[in-house]
Amino acid sequence: MHPQLKSRCPLSLKTVCSVRHRSYNEGIDFLGGFILYTVFVQIELVLLLFLCIFSWIAGVKASRLLYSRNRERMHRKASKLLFWSWFLAVPAAAIGGVAFWMQQSFDPLFWQDRLFIHAPLVLLPIAGIWLMAVPKLWKLRKMTGSQADPADIEASSLDASVYQKAAEPGLVVPFQIMALGALTALYFALVPPIPFQWIAIAVPAALFLAASAGLWWRHALRCKQIGKLEVYTVPALWKRALTMTGVLAVCAAAIAFLIDYGMKNSHLPAELNMASGVAEYGNGTSTADMSTHQHHMSVGGMNTTTGSKAKLVSVTDLTGPRTGTPDRQFTLTAQKQTVQLSSGKMVDAWTYNGQIPGTELRMKEGELVEVTLVNQDIEQGVTLHWHGLDVPNAEDGVAGATQNAVMPGETYTYRFRAEQVGTFWYHSHQVSQEAVNKGLFGALIVEPKEPKVSAPVQAERQAEQGQPAQSVQPARLQEKDITVLTHVWKNAGFALGASDTVERMTIAPGTPVRMRLINTDDWVTQKYTLVGTHFEVAAIDGTSLNKPDVLANTHLELTTGGRYDITFVMPEHPVFLSVGGKQDLGVFMTPDGQGDIPVIPATVPFNALHYGQKAATPFDENSKFTREFTMILDNKLGFYNGNFDFLYTLNGEVFPNTPMFMVKEGDLVKTTIVNRGSVEHPMHLHGHHVLVLSHNGKPSTGTPWWSDTLDVRPGDTYEVAFIANNPGLWMDHCHNLTHAAAGMTMHLMYEGITTPFSVGSSTHNHPE
Ligand code: C2O
Ligand code: CU
């Protein structure tokens, strides 16, 4: 056992601490890479910015050398510039160092641009300064410093030949090229040319070279003119100021024009068919007809199809069972409602059935479920998306892709068979960022067909491991099933559903407990700490894990949209589920209503990669994949729908320029997801669960880990795979809905699928 864990063990956990702590070291490792990457990226950005500013100042100083009115001043200025040569070398070398270090510890996609583009752009100019400008400066300094008599110095004017030396392009221009190089590197850092594209690199590089040549030419000219003069007189200040203002004004105007042009050009089309998009077929062995088809589908084209020989199928035909009496029926009415939280705070919510969260939908495995959606008064429209449930495409509830948004006064019926057992949730997929934040969501639980055998499995396992079984009740107690939906309400803060104070419940000792943690937030990775008992993570994203290990002193970090089921047997003392590491938010479970909320101990993060035990999967990392894709998550400065902003990109683009991954039914698809950006992105693929094959090069060694909402942190590389067995047009997006609303969304598209629906300002459909 790890010594640190021992010392951290609170008294009530004494026995707990002797169980296995498999995730301890991996926890550190797991966080370490993520922090390291973020730190590197930020340091590099700061250095580039710093270098831009200071090399620009040095460049201005260099070109002003010849405005020195006398020998002494020129001498002083030359000395100062020599200092600047040193001063600029430090950040430039550091930028090279960062690239080098990143090359040591990360995959090429993370550092290629830094090592091969940023570093040369700052290191070559600094070399230019040292090889060309410094010797000249040195000479100039000597030339102007030898006349020692101070009285003489003040009076002495310089002759034109000295001024000509001070104006030499070899002395002045390297400093200016340094500034241009740093600026170009900063541009590449803010607009990464990744995935690699010649044009994205060539255009800025050509501009850089042209500007450098232009400066050289201009300074060569100036130097020549001075050489022709008998007597050189320093131009008046107003003249210099005028030139400077002119140059700045031209630059500012050019930038303003480009930004304005970019903004105007980024407006989304008024109507855009979701089946159109930039098709990408991946590398692989799939012999589909697809590979011979045109690779660029017209964006904005209506009903563009994707496989000419394949029979075309509309998403509207891919429904659940349309006939047959449903085993379960629900009606969800979308309506505005002011709801009171447990603390008394009021929330102006958008609700299903007037409550937040909406009615919990519980059903049994295999049941035919019918849900009628009624929109009472949500003017923006609503839909129902079954997050994590792999329903037939037409039932998926994405406005503009699988249906039209349901407008006030309208109804819509969904029918599907609940095939997966587990914890899911539903939410509107129309203006989803606003809708989900305001409350249009609820839990969806699919219970197993057979009633749960409630013998406390965990206690048995404990006994296996030679632990004293904690009050195992021979009687089979009904499992206590607790749904914990965490959400942050605008103007009211964090809550579990509508309860923003500690929820208290009494549970008889020996009762098996299942807590279903669902994070419905937007861009909040929620932290859950269970204090007072050891526990197991029984399921992730609605899929049961194989032989989960017993955990203690471990907290769970749940990404937005993700779910964890945790199970434990109620001990004879209180147990507290703390949300967000707080003592005043969570679920306090006691055998008898007595006891105080415990202090939250220090814990390590849970890591699913090596948790539980291996089990057979339909494929694994050694399988032959028929299609392989790379999905790069990143940031860039750019334009989206009329705004100029920092964008969250998928393969360098925002919707609708993001790729559309093309598959055909039966493909075994592997995707490598790489996060080069500065924030985490919970990637959510509709209609499928992906099997996590590896994380940062380490293969998954524990339980099969199937995910539908995978938290990809900065510096992370995940290899995931799935079988293309659910034809349709499927959203694949970041579940930080703020990011999705800003264009971080793309599609998985099956060959031969069409949709009659479209998105855009001339339609009612705005899925994000
Ligand atoms: Cu939970 Cu595309 O959504
Ligand atoms: Cu994101």
Side-chain angles (χ1 to χ4, degrees):
M1 182 180 127
H2 200 282
Q4 287 185 20
L5 281 169
K6 195 173 201 167
S7 60
R8 279 179 192 163
C9 276
L11 266 173
S12 65
L13 291 179
K14 232 175 197 163
T15 53
V16 171
C17 288
S18 54
V19 296
R20 290 186 283 167
H21 294 285
R22 290 182 65 162
S23 68
Y24 183 72
N25 285 316
E26 286 116 27
I28 299 295
D29 193 30
F30 169 69
L31 272 184
F34 149 56
I35 293 167
L36 195 69
Y37 178 75
T38 317
V39 167
F40 272 150
V41 169
Q42 278 165 7
I43 288 181
E44 202 220 18
L45 258 185
V46 170
L47 286 171
L48 281 170
L49 196 65
F50 183 88
L51 198 57
C52 269
I53 295 168
F54 287 99
S55 52
W56 187 74
I57 294 174
V60 171
K61 283 186 183 293
S63 87
R64 280 186 184 170
L65 257 185
L66 88 163
Y67 301 151
S68 317
R69 289 188 190 279
N70 56 46
R71 196 180 287 276
E72 194 260 342
R73 279 200 193 166
M74 188 175 284
H75 180 76
R76 211 168 50 212
K77 281 187 179 178
S79 308
K80 273 193 186 160
L81 262 182
L82 279 171
F83 163 76
W84 278 87
S85 317
W86 276 110
F87 183 66
L88 296 180
V90 177
I95 288 164
V98 167
F100 178 75
W101 277 315
M102 289 188 83
Q103 190 263 341
Q104 302 289 302
S105 24
F106 291 94
D107 283 344
L109 263 179
F110 292 103
W111 50 256
Q112 266 169 342
D113 54 332
R114 298 187 162 93
L115 192 66
F116 300 127
I117 302 177
H118 306 184
L121 275 171
V122 297
L123 290 175
L124 292 177
I126 199 76
I129 289 180
W130 277 91
L131 293 176
M132 260 196 278
V134 165
K136 288 187 196 298
L137 271 173
W138 199 257
K139 244 188 242 161
L140 189 70
R141 191 173 166 273
K142 247 177 150 178
M143 223 175 189
T144 50
S146 52
Q147 317 283 322
D149 185 352
D152 201 34
I153 285 175
E154 256 321 298
S156 68
S157 61
L158 291 164
D159 56 71
S161 72
V162 180
Y163 279 113
Q164 198 191 2
K165 283 257 177 298
E168 271 184 29
L171 188 158
V172 179
V173 183
F175 287 99
Q176 298 177 331
I177 292 181
M178 177 81 248
L180 286 176
L183 186 69
T184 313
L186 182 67
Y187 170 81
F188 279 123
L190 298 177
V191 188
I194 309 276
F196 180 80
Q197 271 179 317
W198 265 118
I199 191 87
I201 297 172
V203 170
L207 282 175
F208 162 70
L209 291 176
S212 303
L215 281 170
W216 192 280
W217 174 78
R218 183 184 164 257
H219 281 276
L221 207 70
R222 186 173 78 159
C223 184
K224 213 159 131 201
Q225 278 165 353
I226 291 168
K228 283 185 200 148
L229 297 174
E230 290 270 323
V231 185
Y232 169 81
T233 39
V234 175
L237 191 64
W238 68 267
K239 268 191 197 161
R240 282 152 47 194
L242 205 67
T243 322
M244 187 60 127
T245 320
V247 169
L248 286 179
V250 168
C251 290
I255 291 170
F257 172 78
L258 285 175
I259 290 179
D260 186 58
Y261 178 83
M263 278 164 53
K264 285 196 180 120
N265 263 277
S266 71
H267 280 292
L268 294 178
E271 185 169 353
L272 179 68
N273 186 271
M274 287 286 242
S276 64
V278 187
E280 210 182 295
Y281 296 85
N283 320 310
T285 54
S286 182
T287 53
D289 312 328
M290 291 158 57
S291 50
T292 58
H293 296 157
Q294 58 176 137
H295 278 227
H296 277 256
M297 324 283 302
S298 70
V299 172
M302 286 298 293
N303 291 339
T304 321
T305 60
T306 57
S308 52
K309 282 179 210 156
K311 204 167 102 259
L312 300 184
V313 178
S314 167
V315 296
T316 52
D317 295 331
L318 300 166
T319 63
R322 282 282 117 184
T323 54
T325 323
D327 301 300
R328 237 168 251 267
Q329 268 174 304
F330 302 97
T331 300
L332 293 174
T333 303
Q335 59 194 94
K336 291 181 185 158
Q337 186 81 48
T338 305
V339 183
Q340 190 171 33
L341 302 184
S342 62
S343 67
K345 285 184 192 158
M346 303 301 275
V347 174
D348 283 323
W350 290 4
T351 70
Y352 288 116
N353 293 352
Q355 60 187 76
I356 51 173
T359 313
E360 179 170 300
L361 307 185
R362 270 195 187 254
M363 54 199 75
K364 286 226 158 22
E365 181 186 6
E367 282 182 344
L368 178 59
V369 181
E370 185 179 286
V371 186
T372 306
L373 168 64
V374 181
N375 183 357
Q376 189 172 301
D377 58 1
I378 309 290
E379 295 102 42
Q380 288 83 342
V382 290
T383 67
L384 280 170
H385 166 62
W386 320 101
H387 184 115
L389 216 52
D390 301 330
V391 296
N393 198 218
E395 315 295 341
D396 198 40
V398 179
T402 63
Q403 66 171 95
N404 281 321
V406 178
M407 303 312 285
E410 295 178 351
T411 63
Y412 193 92
T413 305
Y414 300 86
R415 284 168 66 102
F416 55 84
R417 220 169 259 292
E419 322 241 35
Q420 300 151 264
V421 172
T423 306
F424 306 93
W425 62 300
Y426 63 86
H427 62 80
S428 179
H429 221 303
Q430 160 75 350
V431 292
S432 61
Q433 193 235 338
E434 182 176 14
V436 175
N437 279 324
K438 288 188 169 163
L440 282 176
F441 63 84
L444 189 160
I445 314 290
V446 184
E447 297 172 351
K449 209 178 296 175
E450 300 301 325
K452 203 155 184 78
V453 180
S454 62
V457 177
Q458 193 177 19
E460 280 167 16
R461 174 110 25 85
Q462 246 177 284
E464 266 171 36
Q465 290 168 0
Q467 308 269 320
Q470 269 185 14
S471 38
V472 181
Q473 309 276 310
R476 302 202 152 176
L477 289 169
Q478 173 92 51
E479 188 177 65
K480 174 84 181 165
D481 195 318
I482 307 165
T483 305
V484 182
L485 268 160
T486 46
H487 197 73
V488 55
W489 298 107
K490 204 171 162 215
N491 303 329
F494 284 101
L496 314 183
S499 119
D500 56 346
T501 50
V502 170
E503 249 183 276
R504 289 165 187 269
M505 41 184 90
T506 318
I507 301 175
T511 309
V513 181
R514 175 178 292 256
M515 303 191 90
R516 302 173 185 271
L517 314 179
I518 309 176
N519 182 358
T520 64
D521 276 325
D522 181 2
W523 204 355
V524 177
T525 300
Q526 193 54 271
K527 181 180 172 186
Y528 304 84
T529 319
L530 194 67
V531 190
T533 179
H534 49 271
F535 64 98
E536 294 170 11
V537 177
I540 298 178
D541 290 352
T543 311
S544 294
L545 304 187
N546 185 50
K547 303 222 169 90
D549 301 306
V550 179
L551 295 167
N553 285 18
T554 303
H555 65 262
L556 302 169
E557 284 171 6
L558 189 51
T559 195
T560 52
R563 286 93 61 217
Y564 282 132
D565 284 20
I566 58 174
T567 53
F568 60 91
V569 177
M570 185 66 196
E572 273 160 356
H573 53 260
V575 172
F576 181 55
L577 176 82
S578 152
V579 175
K582 298 183 193 127
Q583 260 181 304
D584 59 358
L585 185 66
V587 184
F588 190 48
M589 295 154 277
T590 60
D592 49 10
Q594 304 294 308
D596 295 322
I597 291 171
V599 176
I600 317 303
T603 47
V604 295
F606 168 71
N607 179 3
L609 198 69
H610 310 299
Y611 182 70
Q613 281 172 38
K614 248 197 150 49
T617 43
F619 53 85
D620 61 22
E621 68 272 23
N622 301 316
S623 300
K624 191 163 166 51
F625 297 97
T626 48
R627 219 163 269 288
E628 294 188 20
F629 294 103
T630 305
M631 185 192 282
I632 303 169
L633 322 178
D634 207 347
N635 301 99
K636 82 170 179 190
L637 201 56
F639 306 95
Y640 180 67
N641 204 12
N643 293 318
F644 177 56
D645 214 335
F646 246 105
L647 308 176
Y648 304 102
T649 58
L650 292 168
N651 287 4
E653 302 288 350
V654 284
F655 183 80
N657 299 322
T658 45
M660 177 164 76
F661 286 170
M662 302 296 301
V663 295
K664 66 179 177 116
E665 203 173 344
D667 270 341
L668 181 55
V669 187
K670 175 170 154 182
T671 308
T672 305
I673 312 177
V674 177
N675 187 353
R676 285 176 36 97
S678 54
V679 296
E680 75 274 21
H681 299 292
M683 294 309 298
H684 172 51
L685 170 63
H686 287 209
H688 305 75
H689 274 69
V690 299
L691 179 68
V692 175
L693 304 176
S694 76
H695 177 215
N696 294 343
K698 293 193 198 97
S700 158
T701 56
T703 166
W705 172 13
W706 293 93
S707 171
D708 58 49
T709 317
L710 186 64
D711 191 20
V712 188
R713 299 185 177 202
D716 267 349
T717 303
Y718 275 102
E719 285 178 310
V720 301
F722 65 93
I723 301 175
N725 58 3
N726 196 3
L729 158 56
W730 300 101
M731 300 289 285
D732 192 351
H733 62 92
C734 176
H735 220 282
N736 286 337
L737 294 173
T738 300
H739 297 180
M744 196 173 195
T745 154
M746 58 181 281
H747 303 116
L748 174 74
M749 183 66 164
Y750 279 67
E751 176 182 16
I753 300 292
T754 65
T755 177
F757 307 111
S758 41
V759 297
S761 51
S762 74
T763 72
H764 284 308
N765 299 325
H766 308 284
E768 310 304 345

